[in-house]
Amino acid sequence: MIKLIGIEQLRCGMYVHDVNCGWLDHDFIRNRFAVKDEASVRKVRATGVRQVYIDTARGLDVADAPTREEVQHAVTARLRRIAAEPATPRPVPLAEEIGRARTLHRSAHRIVRGVMHDVRLGRQIEMEQIEPLVGAIVDSIFRQPDALLPLARLKHHDDYTFLHSVSVCALMTSFARELKLPRDAIKEIAIGALLHDVGKATVADAVLNKPGKLTEAEFEHMKSHVVQSKIILQDTPGVSAIAIEVAAQHHERFDGTGYPNRLAGEAISVYGQMAAIVDVYDAITSNRVYHRAMPPTEALGKLLEWSRFHFNPQLAQAFVRAIGIYPSGSLVRLESGRLAVVLAQHADKLLLPSVRVIFHAVQGHYLPPQVLDLRYAPDRIVGHESFEKWNIDAARWLMP
Ligand SMILES: [Fe+2]
């Protein structure tokens, strides 16, 4: 049986099935291993992990620990409770926003690439370019977040850092909109989000683009990007304190296990607490060399699970409301056995979005695409699916 235990319960003789820290990009701890000595227990603890999954068929058991199924069941129940409260409505229909969002995504990609290039050459960030871009992103998200968010999900390996920045910016804006923060603060949050990883321009290429997980030394070097981001933004005229906090605190964790300053709880600004959630969500839902993208709904469940320690639980819930239980651009399975791409959220019915049916999972073939508003259709979502598993090209359906 696979069970979830607290790190303080981890002993020699147990078998770790999953170290449960999907956001840590390093390989000095294997994900699955038999615990043979106290040193390996200490090593896991040092990463800041608070709970791990053990396999009781391959090692010692903890009698009263919950099983993985019980944990998943509790998470699904929490997602459903979150869905019961309405989210912020979307004032503009999707069809009206989609063209604008596409153009915007292209120029955002180009501008972020240019910024990273400038920083590498020691040049100043051109805020005259960033400000109007971020203004346009905020406007688009306020009109209809389901246009830009699915585009921002798509990433190519080579361009990961740039596209991740654009995605974090769009997600943070949507999140801040859900929290009903003032519009001028949202603009600053979005600037910080777009530039949160500029410090990566100072990280050695061999480490930044390593086609695999990082060693301990490389991981330490990679971590320096946070302090570098802060320094670069502090040296850029016109960047606000809010934007700097987003960048400087996006790797801090609510329980004090993050970096660079091991800040805990309210010592992390609300902007930093938000950025931590969004940064992890975007990273684990993206394909990387060393991990496959996790379906968004599963990732939201993980965030809720981890929010017991690592994230502010209220904020994690608000984030789920901001993007939906089945986020737009994700693949779902319907009761009829058909697979569909989620198109748009309905703020008062987060479990019943509009979808585009594309594939018959039982019969194993594509279907003529058909849009369904699940509030009124005689079909319903029974679970999330992954594009990879079905060998369906997400880009074809997210940028048709
Ligand atoms: Fe980062």
Coordinates of all heavy atoms in Angstrom, one line a residue, residues 305-377:
E305 N -2.7 19.8 -1.3 CA -2.0 18.9 -0.4 C -0.8 19.5 0.2 O -0.6 19.5 1.4 CB -1.6 17.6 -1.2 CG -1.1 16.5 -0.4 CD -0.5 15.4 -1.3 OE1 -1.1 15.0 -2.3 OE2 0.5 14.8 -0.9
W306 N 0.0 20.2 -0.6 CA 1.2 20.8 -0.1 C 0.9 22.1 0.7 O 1.7 22.5 1.5 CB 2.1 21.2 -1.3 CG 2.7 20.0 -2.0 CD1 3.0 18.8 -1.5 CD2 3.1 20.0 -3.4 NE1 3.6 18.0 -2.4 CE2 3.6 18.7 -3.6 CE3 3.1 20.9 -4.4 CZ2 4.1 18.2 -4.8 CZ3 3.6 20.4 -5.7 CH2 4.1 19.1 -5.9
S307 N -0.3 22.7 0.5 CA -0.6 23.9 1.2 C -0.8 23.7 2.7 O -0.8 24.6 3.5 CB -1.8 24.6 0.6 OG -3.0 23.9 1.0
R308 N -0.8 22.4 3.1 CA -0.8 22.1 4.6 C 0.4 22.7 5.2 O 0.4 23.1 6.4 CB -0.9 20.6 4.7 CG -1.2 20.3 6.1 CD -1.7 18.9 6.3 NE -1.5 18.5 7.7 CZ -1.1 17.4 8.2 NH1 -0.9 16.4 7.3 NH2 -0.9 17.2 9.4
F309 N 1.5 22.7 4.5 CA 2.8 23.2 5.0 C 3.4 24.4 4.2 O 3.6 25.4 4.7 CB 3.8 22.1 5.1 CG 3.4 21.0 5.9 CD1 3.0 19.8 5.4 CD2 3.5 21.1 7.3 CE1 2.6 18.7 6.2 CE2 3.2 20.0 8.2 CZ 2.7 18.9 7.6
H310 N 3.5 24.1 2.9 CA 4.4 25.0 2.1 C 3.7 26.2 1.5 O 4.4 27.2 1.1 CB 4.9 24.1 0.9 CG 5.7 22.9 1.3 ND1 6.9 23.1 2.0 CD2 5.5 21.6 1.2 CE1 7.4 21.8 2.3 NE2 6.5 21.0 1.8
F311 N 2.4 26.2 1.4 CA 1.7 27.4 0.8 C 0.6 27.9 1.8 O 0.1 27.1 2.6 CB 1.1 27.1 -0.5 CG 2.1 26.5 -1.5 CD1 2.0 25.2 -2.0 CD2 3.1 27.3 -2.0 CE1 2.9 24.6 -2.8 CE2 4.1 26.7 -2.9 CZ 3.9 25.4 -3.3
N312 N 0.2 29.1 1.6 CA -0.9 29.7 2.4 C -2.2 29.0 1.9 O -2.5 29.1 0.7 CB -0.9 31.2 2.1 CG -2.1 31.9 2.8 OD1 -3.1 31.3 3.0 ND2 -1.9 33.1 3.2
P313 N -2.8 28.2 2.7 CA -4.0 27.4 2.3 C -5.1 28.3 1.7 O -5.7 27.9 0.7 CB -4.5 26.7 3.6 CG -3.3 26.8 4.5 CD -2.5 28.0 4.2
Q314 N -5.4 29.5 2.3 CA -6.5 30.3 1.8 C -6.1 30.8 0.4 O -7.0 30.8 -0.5 CB -6.7 31.6 2.6 CG -7.7 31.4 3.7 CD -7.1 30.7 4.9 OE1 -6.0 31.0 5.3 NE2 -7.8 29.7 5.5
L315 N -4.9 31.1 0.2 CA -4.5 31.6 -1.2 C -4.5 30.4 -2.2 O -4.9 30.6 -3.3 CB -3.1 32.2 -1.1 CG -3.0 33.6 -0.5 CD1 -1.5 34.1 -0.5 CD2 -3.9 34.6 -1.2
A316 N -4.1 29.2 -1.8 CA -4.2 28.1 -2.7 C -5.6 27.9 -3.2 O -5.8 27.6 -4.3 CB -3.6 26.8 -2.0
Q317 N -6.5 28.0 -2.2 CA -8.0 27.8 -2.6 C -8.4 28.9 -3.6 O -9.1 28.7 -4.6 CB -8.8 27.9 -1.4 CG -8.7 26.7 -0.5 CD -9.7 26.7 0.6 OE1 -10.8 27.3 0.5 NE2 -9.3 26.1 1.7
A318 N -8.0 30.2 -3.3 CA -8.4 31.3 -4.2 C -7.8 31.1 -5.6 O -8.4 31.4 -6.6 CB -7.9 32.6 -3.6
F319 N -6.6 30.5 -5.6 CA -5.9 30.2 -6.9 C -6.8 29.2 -7.7 O -7.0 29.4 -8.9 CB -4.5 29.8 -6.7 CG -3.8 29.5 -8.0 CD1 -3.6 30.5 -9.0 CD2 -3.4 28.2 -8.4 CE1 -2.9 30.2 -10.2 CE2 -2.7 27.9 -9.6 CZ -2.5 28.9 -10.5
V320 N -7.2 28.2 -7.0 CA -8.1 27.2 -7.7 C -9.3 27.9 -8.3 O -9.7 27.6 -9.5 CB -8.5 26.1 -6.8 CG1 -9.5 25.1 -7.4 CG2 -7.3 25.3 -6.2
R321 N -9.9 28.8 -7.5 CA -11.1 29.5 -8.0 C -10.7 30.4 -9.2 O -11.5 30.5 -10.2 CB -11.7 30.3 -6.9 CG -13.0 29.8 -6.4 CD -13.8 30.8 -5.6 NE -13.1 31.2 -4.5 CZ -12.9 30.6 -3.4 NH1 -13.5 29.4 -3.2 NH2 -12.2 31.0 -2.4
A322 N -9.5 30.9 -9.2 CA -9.1 31.8 -10.3 C -9.0 31.1 -11.6 O -9.4 31.7 -12.7 CB -7.8 32.5 -10.0
I323 N -8.5 29.9 -11.6 CA -8.3 29.2 -12.9 C -9.3 28.1 -13.1 O -9.3 27.5 -14.2 CB -6.9 28.7 -13.1 CG1 -6.5 27.7 -12.0 CG2 -5.9 29.9 -13.0 CD1 -5.1 27.1 -12.4
G324 N -10.1 27.7 -12.1 CA -11.1 26.7 -12.3 C -10.6 25.3 -11.9 O -9.4 25.1 -11.8
I325 N -11.5 24.4 -11.6 CA -11.1 23.0 -11.2 C -10.5 22.3 -12.4 O -9.6 21.5 -12.2 CB -12.4 22.2 -10.7 CG1 -13.2 23.1 -9.6 CG2 -12.0 20.9 -10.1 CD1 -12.5 23.4 -8.4
Y326 N -11.1 22.5 -13.5 CA -10.6 22.0 -14.8 C -10.2 23.1 -15.6 O -11.0 23.7 -16.4 CB -11.7 21.1 -15.5 CG -12.3 20.0 -14.7 CD1 -13.5 20.1 -14.1 CD2 -11.5 18.9 -14.5 CE1 -14.0 19.0 -13.3 CE2 -11.9 17.8 -13.7 CZ -13.2 17.9 -13.1 OH -13.6 16.9 -12.4
P327 N -8.9 23.6 -15.4 CA -8.5 24.8 -16.1 C -8.6 24.8 -17.6 O -8.5 23.7 -18.2 CB -7.0 25.0 -15.7 CG -7.0 24.2 -14.4 CD -7.9 23.1 -14.5
S328 N -8.9 26.0 -18.2 CA -9.1 26.1 -19.6 C -7.8 25.6 -20.3 O -6.7 26.0 -19.9 CB -9.4 27.5 -20.0 OG -10.7 27.8 -19.4
G329 N -7.9 24.8 -21.4 CA -6.7 24.3 -22.0 C -6.4 22.9 -21.5 O -5.5 22.3 -22.1
S330 N -7.1 22.4 -20.5 CA -6.7 21.1 -20.0 C -7.7 20.0 -20.7 O -8.7 20.4 -21.3 CB -6.8 21.0 -18.5 OG -8.1 21.2 -18.0
L331 N -7.2 18.8 -20.7 CA -8.0 17.7 -21.3 C -8.8 17.0 -20.2 O -8.3 16.7 -19.1 CB -7.0 16.7 -22.0 CG -7.6 15.7 -22.9 CD1 -8.2 16.3 -24.1 CD2 -6.5 14.6 -23.3
V332 N -10.1 16.7 -20.5 CA -10.9 16.0 -19.6 C -11.6 14.8 -20.2 O -11.7 14.8 -21.5 CB -12.0 16.9 -18.9 CG1 -11.3 17.9 -18.0 CG2 -12.8 17.6 -20.0
R333 N -12.1 13.8 -19.4 CA -12.8 12.7 -19.9 C -14.3 12.9 -19.5 O -14.6 13.3 -18.4 CB -12.3 11.4 -19.4 CG -13.1 10.2 -19.9 CD -12.8 9.0 -19.1 NE -11.6 8.3 -19.6 CZ -11.6 7.2 -20.3 NH1 -12.7 6.6 -20.7 NH2 -10.5 6.7 -20.7
L334 N -15.2 12.7 -20.5 CA -16.6 12.9 -20.2 C -17.2 11.5 -19.9 O -16.7 10.5 -20.2 CB -17.3 13.5 -21.4 CG -16.8 14.9 -21.8 CD1 -17.6 15.4 -23.0 CD2 -16.8 15.9 -20.7
E335 N -18.4 11.5 -19.2 CA -19.1 10.3 -18.9 C -19.3 9.4 -20.1 O -19.3 8.2 -20.0 CB -20.4 10.7 -18.2 CG -21.0 9.5 -17.4 CD -22.2 10.1 -16.6 OE1 -22.9 10.9 -17.1 OE2 -22.4 9.6 -15.5
S336 N -19.6 10.1 -21.2 CA -19.8 9.4 -22.5 C -18.6 8.6 -23.1 O -18.7 8.0 -24.1 CB -20.4 10.4 -23.5 OG -19.4 11.4 -23.7
G337 N -17.5 8.8 -22.4 CA -16.3 8.2 -22.9 C -15.5 9.0 -23.9 O -14.5 8.6 -24.5
R338 N -16.0 10.3 -24.1 CA -15.3 11.2 -25.0 C -14.3 12.0 -24.3 O -14.5 12.3 -23.1 CB -16.3 12.0 -25.7 CG -17.3 11.2 -26.6 CD -18.3 12.1 -27.2 NE -19.2 12.7 -26.3 CZ -20.1 13.6 -26.6 NH1 -20.3 14.0 -27.9 NH2 -20.9 14.2 -25.7
L339 N -13.2 12.4 -25.0 CA -12.2 13.4 -24.4 C -12.5 14.8 -25.0 O -12.9 14.9 -26.1 CB -10.8 13.0 -24.8 CG -10.3 11.6 -24.4 CD1 -8.8 11.4 -24.7 CD2 -10.6 11.3 -22.9
A340 N -12.3 15.8 -24.1 CA -12.6 17.1 -24.5 C -11.6 18.1 -24.0 O -11.0 17.9 -22.9 CB -14.0 17.5 -24.0
V341 N -11.3 19.2 -24.7 CA -10.5 20.2 -24.2 C -11.3 21.3 -23.6 O -12.3 21.7 -24.2 CB -9.7 20.9 -25.4 CG1 -8.8 22.0 -24.9 CG2 -8.8 19.8 -26.1
V342 N -11.0 21.7 -22.4 CA -11.7 22.7 -21.7 C -11.5 24.1 -22.4 O -10.4 24.5 -22.6 CB -11.4 22.8 -20.2 CG1 -12.2 23.9 -19.5 CG2 -11.6 21.5 -19.5
L343 N -12.6 24.8 -22.7 CA -12.6 26.0 -23.4 C -12.7 27.2 -22.5 O -12.0 28.2 -22.6 CB -13.7 26.1 -24.5 CG -13.6 25.3 -25.7 CD1 -14.8 25.6 -26.6 CD2 -12.3 25.7 -26.5
A344 N -13.7 27.2 -21.7 CA -14.0 28.4 -20.9 C -14.7 28.0 -19.6 O -15.5 27.1 -19.6 CB -14.9 29.4 -21.7
Q345 N -14.4 28.8 -18.6 CA -15.1 28.6 -17.3 C -16.4 29.4 -17.2 O -16.5 30.4 -17.8 CB -14.1 29.1 -16.1 CG -12.7 28.5 -16.2 CD -12.7 27.0 -15.9 OE1 -13.4 26.5 -15.1 NE2 -11.8 26.3 -16.7
H346 N -17.3 28.8 -16.4 CA -18.5 29.6 -16.0 C -18.3 29.8 -14.5 O -18.3 28.9 -13.7 CB -19.7 28.8 -16.3 CG -19.8 28.4 -17.7 ND1 -19.9 29.4 -18.7 CD2 -19.8 27.2 -18.4 CE1 -19.9 28.7 -19.9 NE2 -19.9 27.5 -19.7
A347 N -18.2 31.1 -14.2 CA -17.8 31.5 -12.8 C -18.7 30.9 -11.7 O -18.2 30.6 -10.6 CB -17.9 33.0 -12.7
D348 N -20.0 30.7 -12.0 CA -20.8 30.1 -10.9 C -20.9 28.6 -11.0 O -21.6 28.0 -10.1 CB -22.2 30.8 -11.0 CG -22.8 30.6 -12.4 OD1 -22.0 30.3 -13.4 OD2 -24.0 30.7 -12.6
K349 N -20.3 28.0 -12.0 CA -20.4 26.5 -12.1 C -19.0 26.0 -12.6 O -18.8 25.6 -13.7 CB -21.4 26.1 -13.2 CG -22.9 26.5 -12.8 CD -23.5 25.3 -12.1 CE -25.0 25.5 -11.9 NZ -25.3 26.5 -10.9
L350 N -18.1 26.0 -11.6 CA -16.7 25.7 -12.0 C -16.5 24.2 -12.4 O -15.6 23.8 -13.0 CB -15.7 26.0 -10.9 CG -15.4 27.5 -10.6 CD1 -14.5 27.7 -9.5 CD2 -14.9 28.2 -11.9
L351 N -17.5 23.4 -12.0 CA -17.4 21.9 -12.4 C -18.0 21.7 -13.7 O -17.9 20.6 -14.3 CB -18.1 21.0 -11.3 CG -17.4 21.0 -10.0 CD1 -18.2 20.3 -8.9 CD2 -16.0 20.3 -10.1
L352 N -18.7 22.7 -14.3 CA -19.4 22.6 -15.6 C -18.9 23.6 -16.6 O -19.7 24.4 -17.1 CB -20.9 22.7 -15.3 CG -21.5 21.8 -14.3 CD1 -22.9 22.2 -14.0 CD2 -21.4 20.3 -14.8
P353 N -17.6 23.5 -17.0 CA -17.2 24.5 -18.0 C -17.7 24.2 -19.4 O -18.3 23.2 -19.6 CB -15.6 24.3 -18.0 CG -15.4 22.9 -17.6 CD -16.6 22.6 -16.6
S354 N -17.4 25.1 -20.4 CA -17.6 24.8 -21.8 C -16.4 24.0 -22.3 O -15.3 24.4 -21.9 CB -17.9 26.0 -22.6 OG -19.1 26.5 -22.4
V355 N -16.7 23.0 -23.1 CA -15.5 22.2 -23.6 C -15.7 21.9 -25.1 O -16.8 22.1 -25.7 CB -15.5 20.8 -22.9 CG1 -15.3 20.9 -21.4 CG2 -16.8 20.0 -23.2
R356 N -14.6 21.5 -25.8 CA -14.6 21.1 -27.1 C -14.3 19.6 -27.2 O -13.2 19.2 -26.8 CB -13.6 21.9 -28.0 CG -13.7 21.4 -29.5 CD -12.7 22.2 -30.3 NE -13.1 23.5 -30.7 CZ -12.4 24.6 -30.4 NH1 -11.3 24.6 -29.8 NH2 -12.9 25.8 -30.8
V357 N -15.3 18.8 -27.6 CA -15.1 17.4 -27.7 C -14.3 17.1 -28.9 O -14.5 17.6 -30.0 CB -16.5 16.7 -27.8 CG1 -16.3 15.2 -28.0 CG2 -17.4 16.9 -26.6
I358 N -13.2 16.2 -28.7 CA -12.3 16.0 -29.9 C -12.1 14.5 -30.2 O -11.6 14.1 -31.3 CB -11.0 16.7 -29.7 CG1 -10.3 16.2 -28.4 CG2 -11.1 18.2 -29.7 CD1 -8.8 16.6 -28.4
F359 N -12.2 13.6 -29.2 CA -11.7 12.3 -29.3 C -12.6 11.3 -28.6 O -13.2 11.6 -27.6 CB -10.3 12.2 -28.7 CG -9.5 11.0 -29.1 CD1 -8.7 10.9 -30.2 CD2 -9.4 9.9 -28.2 CE1 -8.0 9.8 -30.6 CE2 -8.7 8.8 -28.5 CZ -7.9 8.7 -29.7
H360 N -12.8 10.1 -29.2 CA -13.5 9.0 -28.5 C -12.5 8.1 -27.8 O -11.9 7.3 -28.5 CB -14.5 8.3 -29.4 CG -15.6 7.7 -28.7 ND1 -15.5 6.8 -27.7 CD2 -17.0 8.0 -28.7 CE1 -16.7 6.5 -27.2 NE2 -17.6 7.2 -27.8
A361 N -12.5 8.1 -26.5 CA -11.5 7.3 -25.8 C -11.8 5.8 -25.8 O -10.9 5.0 -25.9 CB -11.4 7.8 -24.3
V362 N -13.0 5.5 -25.9 CA -13.4 4.0 -25.9 C -13.2 3.5 -27.3 O -12.6 2.4 -27.5 CB -14.9 3.8 -25.5 CG1 -15.2 2.3 -25.4 CG2 -15.1 4.5 -24.1
Q363 N -13.6 4.2 -28.3 CA -13.5 3.8 -29.7 C -12.1 4.1 -30.3 O -11.7 3.6 -31.3 CB -14.6 4.4 -30.6 CG -15.9 3.9 -30.1 CD -17.1 4.7 -30.8 OE1 -16.8 5.6 -31.6 NE2 -18.3 4.4 -30.4
G364 N -11.3 5.0 -29.6 CA -10.0 5.3 -30.0 C -9.8 6.1 -31.3 O -8.9 5.8 -32.1
H365 N -10.7 7.0 -31.6 CA -10.5 7.8 -32.8 C -11.0 9.3 -32.6 O -11.8 9.5 -31.6 CB -11.3 7.2 -34.0 CG -12.7 7.0 -33.8 ND1 -13.6 8.1 -33.8 CD2 -13.5 5.9 -33.5 CE1 -14.9 7.7 -33.5 NE2 -14.8 6.4 -33.3
Y366 N -10.5 10.1 -33.4 CA -10.9 11.5 -33.3 C -12.4 11.7 -33.7 O -12.9 10.9 -34.5 CB -10.1 12.4 -34.2 CG -8.7 12.7 -33.6 CD1 -7.6 12.0 -33.9 CD2 -8.6 13.8 -32.7 CE1 -6.4 12.2 -33.3 CE2 -7.4 14.0 -32.1 CZ -6.3 13.3 -32.4 OH -5.1 13.5 -31.8
L367 N -13.0 12.7 -33.2 CA -14.4 13.0 -33.5 C -14.5 14.4 -34.2 O -13.6 15.2 -34.0 CB -15.2 13.1 -32.2 CG -15.3 11.7 -31.5 CD1 -15.8 12.0 -30.0 CD2 -16.3 10.8 -32.2
P368 N -15.5 14.7 -35.0 CA -15.6 16.0 -35.5 C -15.8 16.9 -34.3 O -16.6 16.7 -33.4 CB -17.0 16.0 -36.3 CG -17.3 14.5 -36.4 CD -16.6 13.8 -35.4
P369 N -14.9 18.0 -34.1 CA -14.9 18.8 -32.9 C -16.3 19.4 -32.7 O -17.0 19.8 -33.6 CB -13.9 19.9 -33.3 CG -13.1 19.4 -34.3 CD -13.9 18.4 -35.1
Q370 N -16.7 19.4 -31.5 CA -18.1 19.9 -31.1 C -18.0 20.6 -29.8 O -17.4 20.1 -28.8 CB -19.0 18.7 -31.0 CG -20.4 19.0 -30.6 CD -21.2 17.8 -30.1 OE1 -20.7 16.7 -30.0 NE2 -22.5 18.0 -29.8
V371 N -18.5 21.8 -29.7 CA -18.5 22.6 -28.5 C -19.7 22.3 -27.6 O -20.8 22.2 -28.1 CB -18.4 24.1 -28.8 CG1 -18.5 24.9 -27.5 CG2 -17.1 24.5 -29.5
L372 N -19.4 22.0 -26.4 CA -20.5 21.7 -25.4 C -20.5 22.6 -24.2 O -19.4 22.8 -23.7 CB -20.4 20.3 -24.9 CG -20.6 19.0 -25.7 CD1 -20.5 17.8 -24.9 CD2 -22.0 19.1 -26.4
D373 N -21.6 23.2 -23.9 CA -21.6 23.9 -22.6 C -22.2 22.9 -21.6 O -23.4 22.5 -21.6 CB -22.6 25.1 -22.7 CG -22.6 26.0 -21.5 OD1 -22.3 25.4 -20.4 OD2 -23.0 27.1 -21.6
L374 N -21.3 22.5 -20.7 CA -21.7 21.3 -19.8 C -22.8 21.7 -18.8 O -23.3 20.9 -18.1 CB -20.5 20.8 -19.1 CG -19.5 20.1 -20.0 CD1 -18.2 19.6 -19.2 CD2 -20.1 18.8 -20.7
R375 N -23.1 23.0 -18.7 CA -24.2 23.4 -17.8 C -25.5 22.9 -18.4 O -26.5 22.6 -17.7 CB -24.3 24.9 -17.7 CG -23.2 25.5 -16.9 CD -23.2 27.0 -16.9 NE -23.2 27.6 -18.3 CZ -23.2 28.9 -18.6 NH1 -23.4 29.8 -17.6 NH2 -23.1 29.3 -19.8
Y376 N -25.6 22.7 -19.7 CA -26.8 22.3 -20.4 C -26.7 21.0 -21.1 O -27.8 20.5 -21.6 CB -27.3 23.4 -21.3 CG -27.2 24.8 -20.7 CD1 -26.3 25.8 -21.2 CD2 -28.0 25.1 -19.6 CE1 -26.2 27.0 -20.6 CE2 -28.0 26.4 -19.0 CZ -27.1 27.3 -19.5 OH -27.0 28.6 -18.9
A377 N -25.6 20.5 -21.3 CA -25.4 19.3 -22.1 C -25.7 18.0 -21.3 O -25.4 18.0 -20.1 CB -24.0 19.2 -22.7

